[in-house]
Amino acid sequence: MTFKAVIFDIGGVVVGSPMAGIHKYEKEHGLPRNYINVAIVKQGESGAFQKFERGEIRIKDFYIQFGEQLSDPRHKQSYKEYLQKSGKAVPENIPNVTVDGEALWTTMMNETDNVDLKVFHAINKLKESGRFKVAALTNNSESASDQTKTSDSLRGTFDYFVESKVVGLRKPDPKFFLHACKVIGVEPHEAIFLDDIGMNLRAAKKLGMETIQVPMGNSEVAIEKLESLVKLDLHTGVPRKH
């Protein structure tokens, strides 16, 4: 297979994961682990988080709606179902949860201040090789003045920077992946896509993309798999022998 493009997610791949911020917020506020993420996903495409990433609501409105939706006690049942499906112990009682939308979002965005230097170096080696178009495909949003500054500073690193808040689509919507491929000028089967979230990777794979999951805090595993696909040492930039 000859690949023409490598497409990177930003949060959780090139920079720290907002998911780590969710876990930190849960721990600090005595909430069950993964409770918030289950609640976010349960909202579906009409949720505040999802609408915010498509650029449909402003940040102040988002803070309010985000907190209200995640504080809905009906999510306790969804969380119990998630635990059962995962084969984990289900507590008899889950306390009512109150989430401060702005505080949670700030904690999530603080994680994105940290660039993964291994991934950043690999991106530069890909570009230096001259063999691949290198792109970002990110679910992002309007930000407060002090948020996502690190992510935004990375724009010039990529040949293409495709973002949900501009396009009005978000991963895992297949239309967002197809839009990105059209912008980049490749067919899905000609692209490698790296992300940290399973549902995004599954959607890309269904379209024919080669996918690589980036484990939280262990990008080296993903870089090694990427090296095997592009036949390039992404530490030195030297082509590998086939």
Side-chain angles (χ1 to χ4, degrees):
M1 175 66 69
T2 300
F3 297 106
K4 297 180 180 179
V6 183
I7 305 172
F8 292 82
D9 174 36
I10 297 295
V13 175
V14 185
V15 300
S17 172
M19 185 69 71
I22 290 177
H23 293 327
K24 183 178 292 185
Y25 184 92
E26 288 171 336
K27 187 174 182 179
E28 289 174 351
H29 292 81
L31 305 180
R33 186 174 177 84
N34 285 327
Y35 184 94
I36 288 176
N37 191 51
V38 170
I40 290 173
V41 173
K42 189 65 177 179
Q43 294 298 321
E45 290 306 304
S46 61
F49 180 81
Q50 290 80 354
K51 291 193 292 185
F52 191 44
E53 288 192 331
R54 294 195 300 267
E56 295 173 5
I57 56 175
R58 303 305 299 271
I59 193 164
K60 291 298 182 183
D61 296 324
F62 163 71
Y63 288 152
I64 296 169
Q65 294 178 33
F66 194 42
E68 289 177 346
Q69 290 177 0
L70 298 184
S71 300
D72 188 331
R74 288 175 293 183
H75 290 307
K76 290 192 286 186
Q77 182 59 37
S78 300
Y79 183 65
K80 288 181 179 179
E81 292 171 359
Y82 154 76
L83 292 175
Q84 290 171 339
K85 187 175 181 181
S86 304
K88 299 176 181 178
V90 180
E92 289 187 13
N93 296 306
I94 297 175
N96 288 331
V97 171
T98 300
V99 175
D100 182 320
E102 182 173 0
L104 170 58
W105 186 250
T106 299
T107 303
M108 292 168 64
M109 291 301 98
N110 284 344
E111 293 298 318
T112 66
D113 285 345
N114 306 308
V115 176
D116 188 314
L117 295 179
K118 293 177 182 177
V119 176
F120 184 73
H121 187 70
I123 291 169
N124 285 327
K125 290 301 178 184
L126 287 168
K127 291 186 68 176
E128 288 171 9
S129 76
R131 292 166 48 196
F132 305 96
K133 297 178 179 181
V134 182
L137 181 63
T138 178
N139 286 353
N140 63 358
S141 55
E142 175 194 358
S143 61
S145 60
D146 60 342
Q147 293 176 342
T148 67
K149 55 184 179 294
T150 302
S151 300
D152 287 342
S153 70
L154 293 168
R155 290 174 183 272
T157 305
F158 298 93
D159 299 317
Y160 304 89
F161 198 92
V162 185
E163 47 194 326
S164 64
K165 69 178 182 182
V166 173
V167 180
L169 298 168
R170 64 186 291 277
K171 296 172 291 186
D173 189 335
K175 293 191 292 293
F176 194 33
F177 291 102
L178 293 174
H179 171 83
C181 287
K182 184 176 181 180
V183 169
I184 299 165
V186 296
E187 295 297 323
H189 69 271
E190 296 174 322
I192 302 169
F193 174 61
L194 294 90
D195 202 299
D196 60 321
I197 298 177
M199 70 175 75
N200 295 341
L201 293 161
R202 289 190 291 273
K205 195 171 189 66
K206 283 183 179 180
L207 295 172
M209 291 184 174
E210 185 69 42
T211 59
I212 301 175
Q213 185 156 22
V214 182
M216 188 184 301
N218 191 16
S219 61
E220 183 65 29
V221 173
I223 296 302
E224 289 176 359
K225 183 173 182 181
L226 180 59
E227 286 181 324
S228 69
L229 291 172
V230 299
K231 305 296 188 290
L232 186 68
D233 186 329
L234 296 176
H235 297 85
T236 66
V238 176
R240 289 182 168 184
K241 292 181 180 180
H242 291 233

